[in-house]
Amino acid sequence: MGEARNAGSDAGAVPGRAGGAGAGVLWLACVAQFMVVLDVSVVNVALPSIQRGLGFTDVGLQWVVAGYALVFAGFLLLGGRLADLYGRRRVFLWGLVLFSAASLVGGLATTPGLLIAMRSVQGLAAAVLARPPSPSSPPRMPKGRC
């Protein structure tokens, strides 16, 4: 009770609950991870419709999933390095914008090649969004907030 608080502290915050900017960052990171995982599931469910709508062959249809997965796996470590070099927030936001734009263009694709290309771009953006933590940039959530 007699504890002095800093001017920038969470006065009035509910104990045990994340508040302020930390909660917003955590929420945004969770939504981004959900988008990355959901994208794989939704496309797998939609493969028959994609095949009918765009005239994919069975072999070509595999590249809709593989284009995303291969690029995602190949660039996952690069996403962490980019975050170290240019800042986590900046790289995260660019990844989010790129992922969203590629999703929009891929959703409006009229040719198999464009869809596969946009799925590959989505994989690149997802690798940036889901980058592994790096020892040089540990997470910065206050103790007792998670």
Side-chain angles (χ1 to χ4, degrees):
M1 285 214 180
E3 183 178 315
R5 295 197 180 250
N6 294 334
S9 70
D10 292 334
V14 178
R17 294 192 66 192
V25 170
L26 181 60
W27 185 84
L28 186 59
C30 288
V31 168
Q33 291 303 314
F34 178 72
M35 284 176 23
V36 168
V37 172
L38 182 68
D39 189 62
V40 173
S41 301
V42 167
V43 168
N44 281 326
V45 170
L47 284 175
S49 299
I50 292 170
Q51 186 174 24
R52 283 191 306 275
L54 294 178
F56 270 98
T57 64
D58 288 339
V59 173
L61 194 61
Q62 294 175 0
W63 280 104
V64 174
V65 176
Y68 180 93
L70 289 173
V71 174
F72 176 79
F75 285 94
L76 192 57
L77 291 177
L78 179 66
R81 182 64 180 143
L82 288 174
D84 288 343
L85 292 174
Y86 300 108
R88 288 182 297 180
R89 178 180 295 162
R90 177 181 291 150
V91 171
F92 180 83
L93 290 175
W94 276 109
L96 194 59
V97 167
L98 184 61
F99 189 89
S100 300
S103 296
L104 176 65
V105 174
L108 299 173
T110 56
T111 65
L114 181 59
L115 179 59
I116 292 170
M118 289 302 103
R119 291 288 296 157
S120 298
V121 172
Q122 278 182 314
L124 175 64
V128 171
L129 289 174
R131 67 169 189 79
S134 134
S136 63
S137 62
R140 292 190 176 104
M141 292 299 292
K143 287 186 179 182
R145 292 287 187 171
C146 295

